[in-house]
């Protein structure tokens, strides 16, 4: 057998000491001196998310005080802006004709009574000629009747001649009235009929706008032949616009004429419209009724065709304790909120009642004056979930 050297003896001694220490640990249940179990670096705080005020502010978490308020029934609507049907006119010749002149271009302003186009029509010429002839015949018939009346009163002519002349004058007046009405049916005003004289231009018809506004459509081009009742121009007063949108039957009892509708668009424009009509009949296909709102547009900010969204505040109910709906989160299958505590935010279970999409009613777990975390409270929920997972491990 070879003798043990110094290095081998040292190894044997260290192994013996280790085995001895292990034996003592097993017998006494205490680790050898210098081998105590290390403590964890930090203890887990149940239900508390550690955030400094600066971190909370940067995360968009805002403290809000819980208190009494009103739950408002809100109806979200989308609508397309259109010209108001009471402030739009379709201007067309009531008889076929050729466009002699088109004076207004698309988008140009128009004054009430302004001439937009001139139409040449043989039907108008015939009607004017008939009226002038009837007017002339009526004048002659009345003159004859007046002479026959004078002769009859002087006992120069028999009464029969006077009565015949009187009847002829009345018939001539009727024919003149019929010819006048024919001209008015073709679009001539009473003033234009009275000012009518024989001569050139009997075929010329003036198309006038009955309202002030803008040309939003033009169908008249010089030289074109327009059929009867074909739009030559469409003029709209865009200082007042309309919106039509559907409201479902469950919400109709809360919508009334005179109510307001705040509007907004994707590009940031805002306005307030007023409800002017609530449809009395439901569409059987959709179960909704049309609602019309009127929008003042004196500054021309809005245009027909704009797409807008709005929210109708239809009904309000009092509630003893409200918090922002965004402050309520669901953790462990239960509604909870986060309340500020020293060093961060603590979870607190609550019982939730009614909601209007903006505020939630709290029935238990909170009292008026308590502060809760709103804004981006979902960040606290996410951090609390991480803490729970780490604790379970």
């Amino acid at each position: 057998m070879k003798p043990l050297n110094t290095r081998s003896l040292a190894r044997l001694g260290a192994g013996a000491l280790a085995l001895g220490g292990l034996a003592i640990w097993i017998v006494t249940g205490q680790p050898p001196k210098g081998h105590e179990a290390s403590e964890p670096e930090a203890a887990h705080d149940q239900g508390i998310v550690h955030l400094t005020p600066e971190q909370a502010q940067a995360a968009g978490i805002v403290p809000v005080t819980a208190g009494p308020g009103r739950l408002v029934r809100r109806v979200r609507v989308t609508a397309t802006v259109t010209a108001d049907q009471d402030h739009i006119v379709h201007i067309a010749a009531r008889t076929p004709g050729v466009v002699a002149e088109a004076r207004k271009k698309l988008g140009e302003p128009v004054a009430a009574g302004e001439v937009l186009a001139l139409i040449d029509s043989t039907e108008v010429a015939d009607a004017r000629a008939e009226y002038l002839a009837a007017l002339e015949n009526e004048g002659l018939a009345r003159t004859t009747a007046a002479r026959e009346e004078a002769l009859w009163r002087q006992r120069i002519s028999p009464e029969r001649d006077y009565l015949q002349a009187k009847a002829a004058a009345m018939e001539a007046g009727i024919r003149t009235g019929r010819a006048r009405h024919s001209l008015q049916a073709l679009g001539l005003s009473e003033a234009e009929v009275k000012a009518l004289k024989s001569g050139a231009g009997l075929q010329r018809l003036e198309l006038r706008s009955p309202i002030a506004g803008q040309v939003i459509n033009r169908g008249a081009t010089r030289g074109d032949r327009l059929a009867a009742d074909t739009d030559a121009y469409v003029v709209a007063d865009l200082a007042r616009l309309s919106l039509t949108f559907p409201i479902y039957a469950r919400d109709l009892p809360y919508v009334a004429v005179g109510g307001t509708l705040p509007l907004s668009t994707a590009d940031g424009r805002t306005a307030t419209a007023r409800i002017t009509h609530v449809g009395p009949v439901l569409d059987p296909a959709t179960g909704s009724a049309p609602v019309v709102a009127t929008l003042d547009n004196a500054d021309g900010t809005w245009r027909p065709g704009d797409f807008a969204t709005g929210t109708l505040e239809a009904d309000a109910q009092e509630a003893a304790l409200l918090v922002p709906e965004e402050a309520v989160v669901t953790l462990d299958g239960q509604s909870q909120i986060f309340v500020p505590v020293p060093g961060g935010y603590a979870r607190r279970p609550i019982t939730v009642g009614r909601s209007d999409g903006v505020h939630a009613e709290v029935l238990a777990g909170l009292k008026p004056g308590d502060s809760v975390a709103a804004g981006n409270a979902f960040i606290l929920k996410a951090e609390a979930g991480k803490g729970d997972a780490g604790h379970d491990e």
Side-chain angles (χ1 to χ4, degrees), residues 71-90:
L71 289 168
V72 181
R73 185 184 185 95
R74 293 175 173 86
V75 182
R76 188 76 170 171
V77 301
T78 57
T80 301
V81 179
T82 61
D84 192 304
Q85 293 301 307
D86 293 331
H87 293 78
I88 183 172
V89 291
H90 295 255

Side-chain angles (χ1 to χ4, degrees), residues 235-306:
V235 175
D237 180 5
L238 301 182
R240 186 177 182 184
L241 301 174
S242 288
L243 303 97
T244 302
F245 47 89
I247 295 293
Y248 291 103
R250 65 177 181 271
D251 297 320
L252 277 175
Y254 306 102
V255 181
V257 172
T260 58
L261 173 62
L263 298 171
S264 62
T265 62
D267 58 10
R269 285 174 293 161
T270 59
T272 300
R274 186 169 296 277
I275 305 298
T276 54
H277 172 75
V278 178
V281 180
L282 293 176
D283 183 343
T286 63
S288 64
V291 175
V292 179
T294 299
L295 174 64
D296 289 331
N297 188 44
D299 57 359
T301 302
W302 297 76
R303 297 174 181 269
D306 278 337

Side-chain angles (χ1 to χ4, degrees), residues 42 56 104 159 231 316:
K104 286 294 182 179
E159 183 181 11
D231 286 344

Side-chain angles (χ1 to χ4, degrees), residues 166-176:
K166 183 180 179 180
M170 292 180 63
E171 290 177 3
I174 292 173
R175 286 193 293 270
T176 301

